[in-house]
Amino acid sequence: MVIPRFASSAPQNLLALELYQYILQQTLGPSIYTDPHAIIDVATSREADAVIPGYGFLSENAEFARAVSSAGMRWCGPPPSVIESFGIKHVARSLAEKANVPTVPGTKDLVADSSMAVKEADKLGYPVILKSTAGGGGLGLVACNNADEVRKGFETATSRGKTLFKHSGVFIEKYYPRSRHVEIQIFGNGNKVIAFGERECSLQRRHQKIIEECPSPFVARYEGLREAIAAGAISLAESVQYASAGTVEFIVDNESGGVFFLEMNTRLQVEHGITELCYGVDLVNLMLQQADEPLANDFLQSVQAAHSTPVGHAIEARLYAENPVRNYTPSPGLLTNVNWPDGARVDTWVSTGTRISSLYDPLIAKVMCHRESREAALGNLQEYLAGSTIDGPPNNKDLLVAILQDDEIRKGNTLTSFVESFNFVPCAIDVISGGSHTLIQGESLFLDPQYPRDVCVDRQHPDLPARPHVGRGIPQSGPMDPVALQIANALVGNPLGTEALECTLTGPDLRFLGSAIIALTGAHMKTTLDGRDLPLWQQVRVKQGQRLKIGKVTSEGCRSYLAVFGGFPNVAKYFGSKSTSPLVALGGYQGRALAAGDMLSITKDSQSTKVEESTTIPQRLRPQYTNGWDILAMPGPHDVGYLTDEDIQIFYNTVWKVSHNAARSGIRLVGPVPNWARSDGGEGGAHPSNVIEYGYSVGSLNWTGDDPCWFPVDGPNFGGFISSTTVPKADWTKLGQLKAGDTLRCHRCTLDEALEARTMIDNYVDGIAEAVLDSSDFSSVQLPSTLSAVKITHSAQDTSSVLASIPESQKHSQPLVVYRQCGDGNLLIDYGHGSFDLNYRIRVSALENALLGRQTAYAGQGPGKTSDEPSPTNASTTVDEITPYIIITVGACNSLLVSFDPLKLPRQRLLDCVMKLESTALGDLSTVEMPTRLFHLPIAFESKEQAEATRRYMQTQRPHAPYLPDNLGFVARNNAFSPEHLKEIFTKDLFMAVVVGFYSGNTVSLPVDPRQRMSSPKTNPSRVYTPAGTVGWGGGCFSIYPVDSPGGYQMLGRTVPTFDAFGRKPGFSPGPEDEGQQGCAGKNMAARTDEAIRPWLFDPIDTIRFYEVTPEDLDIDLEKFNAGLYKYEVETTTFSMKEHNELLQSTAAEVVEIRRKQRDAQAEMIRAEEESLHKWREQKDKEKPNLDEVAKVLAENGVVSVEAPVDANVWQVRVREAKSDTVHDSDEDEEDEMLKKTEVRAGDDLVVLEAMKLEVEVKYGVDAQGESSDSSKAPPAKIEKVLVKSGETVKAGQRLCLLRMVD
């Protein structure tokens, strides 16, 4: 069978179905489902012996049925001639009449034009319905109440028929608005036909069924009616020698009781399952038997006798991804949480992580409940749906529940017009516009049972950020300004960490379908409720139907927070939090910013808040935002020894400017370039800012080359650039309000000062929360100085980033250990002298295991040290005392980052403990046997996706470089290797994973054999796109890109991706099928979360071997991976440090010579890169506009300039100069360039800028605030001159283009 049928939501069935779907779509794209030849090609290529028709597309296509048989396969449906007979509806009416089956009054033939349609409609009497003769599924139907509607409807029906069904024919029938839809399930063998009772499918929207039941409550009221309708259906089917399953549909006039033939469906119906439940028959099995060998009459008669009477009552509800409040508009998107309880039959193709496509019917699932009575079935289905979870895009679940609760439905008054007139108003927010970047953000309420949490006013103190306990490349996320979010929640009566909307620069436009209690805090944005100004920092009651518009930021700061009482129930948690990580598309509302058409559920119980109406935060207690910030900073982890003393002084004395490139994942600063204390980064890289990869902490100031960048809550969790200073947690809220163009100055502070500031903010938030519950008595609450506009006048001078160290010693193979501070809640433990050494990595793992209570006695581990070694100042601290307060650890090649709660665990106690472990517990690890997993992965050194990524890079980013177009050849030359030697390194040698994380489980690995180690610069600039599974090399390590993403590692090949966001695929989330595929660290991490998912594949110390495959073979593996059927080849083994150290000793001299050759080769590559960069920059400079020429053109009458509203990067130029038809922008495809406008009208796009990772559209006639300007009244304009190109950086007020007004 080419497409198997799966009648359950079992994971293995869903994954198998996804494979078939993926194979089909990858073969010829989405059109495969309507291309009979393509489907047959796929079926025969995979040696299918039969094709069974489903619910639509080609299931009633006679030519397809014939083609299947001609290809030597069985067609598991009715004969093609029968399909043709009933495929044209007006012909089917004639067949019904011949079989003495009553038909709906209507035209015998097709109507030729709208005039004839009006005549026939007048004869029948209104209302009438126009039907496309080839239509189906509720499509091609137009109900009309008068002649004018018939004229318009005729055009609509013919157009739809031609477009959807390749047949424009239309006929007319009498329309019964108060009617019922009843259908008979039949089965035939080409001679005899039997029936399995009726189904009632009257509850429909847009002529498509949403609730069906068996038997019909209407038919059951009238003795003999079931038998009479069934007899008519059998008569009709036997008259055409029907074979296989089919359905004869009837319309029942509720007023007269008349029963009329509607149509015949020559296939299995969507709702067939409820007949199977009530009659105990397997219709699909009968279809397969009939296709294999026609069933005997006697056999059919015995089946009929055994299944002649319905047992109990069954009801089906169709769950659709559609928006009921927007006329049932389909709602494609990502299902972030799907949960089906026990107690019903669910036929579905989806599970958590499924993406609903916009290309097909939005059916999510069919939910069927079978009980002893109709009343019991209705109650069961209602409860089942209410207890099911389908989070993601809008769906009709709540509508179905509301319908099932209605008294008329309970009484059996199920008319086809019911849903159309049903008053359904969900308790939700309809998103009219999402604003520039509106995200769901909140703080984690994850509670480790070992980790005590304070309680404030019956609220649990939330974790900050949202997912601090996960790691492995899952961003911590949460609100950028946690203070504003918590106060907004306090105002509405929520737990302080409840999810809210984080609005950046411009907020959303929201329609409240239900009443709600809200509060808006943070940066001031122009906000109205039904057109009236809405105050910030105040509780507001919103009535049903009101519209809230949050506009642009009008003063300092850039983010505001909208809290709604009860939060947003339909937003799923991801690792314990509903916060969004937009960079990796995880968490929140489908992993992205809000957009038009989204829907957010809100609580129905909006009046249960304990906070008094209109409670307002006094002006004196509101955080004071500015555009010139003073920010606390703690030196470290890397300052002295990495930056010169002068660099350090300059940094703290400089007023830095915030770059346009300021976002949740990184905030770049503009200012002086350091002189650096080192000439290079050693084995970490060529630039002095490079170091060997280590764990990053939130708030760290990272130097990516000469450019400083702050990492806020969505920053990566490790990397290979130094961090010279770290913002303590107390001032993270300031980072969250920085916007492009702001200035700031950093002030050194001590740990005690940082913790004092943190405590002050905690007390302030607690005080606000208590005051709003205590009749708004804020008299005892004080605004912390760090949240006020008071300038910081002091700066600690005696702070050091190095807290302690243990010297190197040959005894017990003790390496140098340096303990560095990273803000007020992190400790970096650094081994050695900045070199790649697996001895350090093993030591990091041993320390991490011991610190987290996972102490492991490795085979061959030497004894602990004696007391004559350096010891901590207080050796009484034990692991058991500190482990509960450790939030997470990040182990890297030669370092361990420990994040902890400094308010519960004093840093000195932690330092004492880790130094004690180092001095007494670890011992000599140079000969240990480390348990590990060995992965065998395929690698293709060529792929069309990587070739396309390189082509686009050369076309749109940089046209030439030593690494273009052949990344692999460049890396080989850069290391004095041949390309063949480089490939052999991957296919013959062993690699070890040294750190897992960054983003989405990105894994950095290096060759175990030092002779095969390499170094390579990254691309400059980084690619905007890298295919998932890319094996890239950067610095001294390689990495497998886990998902499609930007990146700068040189692309050497491609393998199977190593990340699965929802942990559904084999090898990820723990389960019986994954035994042996889970590393120790992964099991421990899963145990620390409230969800048993594990999206990353690798753990540190895992080892990897590659085997070469062809690009075609890799494509097959990728098909399997995407369908969830790829199984990683992995074995449990050990890694011998004794053998490894013997290898290091025996190859030492050889390695020295290899490194000499590599340095020579790299020097040559550096020269080539400098020449290429110089040439490229010269070319870009030549393309810059001549300012004198610009001034001359501007002096002419009718010429105006358009300026950039903010500091930004030019993302797209959407116009071209009118005076030339040639392509001037070499960074554009010629075809794309020629499609750009040369003349514009008010409101047309000119340029799209990117600021703070947000799109800023610059339109003609629209000012920076989004309001129409005076120029909007001007005539159309021609593009006189374009002054910028994609990729350029512009400042606020810089000219983007010149326009010449057209008379």
Side-chain angles (χ1 to χ4, degrees), residues 70-198:
S70 298
M73 295 177 287
R74 296 292 178 93
W75 170 253
C76 304
S81 59
V82 171
I83 295 175
E84 283 177 330
S85 298
F86 289 102
I88 304 300
K89 294 191 181 333
H90 74 285
V91 174
R93 280 172 52 86
S94 299
L95 291 173
E97 290 170 355
K98 290 177 182 178
N100 295 318
V101 177
T103 60
V104 177
T107 59
K108 292 186 178 295
D109 300 307
L110 301 178
V111 291
D113 52 39
S114 58
S115 296
M116 181 182 291
V118 170
K119 270 186 197 177
E120 295 295 339
D122 288 342
K123 288 181 189 176
L124 290 170
Y126 295 98
V128 297
I129 188 164
L130 279 61
K131 292 187 174 183
S132 171
T133 191
L139 303 174
L141 304 179
V142 183
C144 305
N145 294 298
N146 54 54
D148 286 340
E149 291 183 6
V150 170
R151 291 187 187 93
K152 294 177 183 176
F154 181 82
E155 301 301 326
T156 300
T158 54
S159 175
R160 286 180 183 171
K162 185 174 182 180
T163 301
L164 299 174
F165 309 109
K166 314 303 182 198
H167 196 309
S168 61
V170 171
F171 67 100
I172 305 176
E173 288 182 342
K174 178 70 177 173
Y175 181 50
Y176 297 98
R178 290 183 55 79
S179 59
R180 296 170 183 268
H181 182 116
V182 176
E183 60 190 30
I184 299 294
Q185 176 66 60
I186 63 160
F187 194 93
N189 63 0
N191 178 27
K192 181 176 181 57
V193 174
I194 60 176
F196 298 105
E198 83 287 346

Side-chain angles (χ1 to χ4, degrees), residues 3 82 122 242 583 761 775 1074 1097 1116 1227:
I3 307 178
V82 171
D122 288 342
Y242 196 89
L583 190 66
I761 287 181
S775 303
D1074 296 320
L1097 179 66
I1116 294 174
D1227 289 348

Side-chain angles (χ1 to χ4, degrees), residues 15-30:
L15 292 174
L17 178 58
E18 286 183 20
L19 174 60
Y20 282 91
Q21 292 171 330
Y22 184 80
I23 289 172
L24 290 176
Q25 292 185 34
Q26 290 298 306
T27 304
L28 284 176

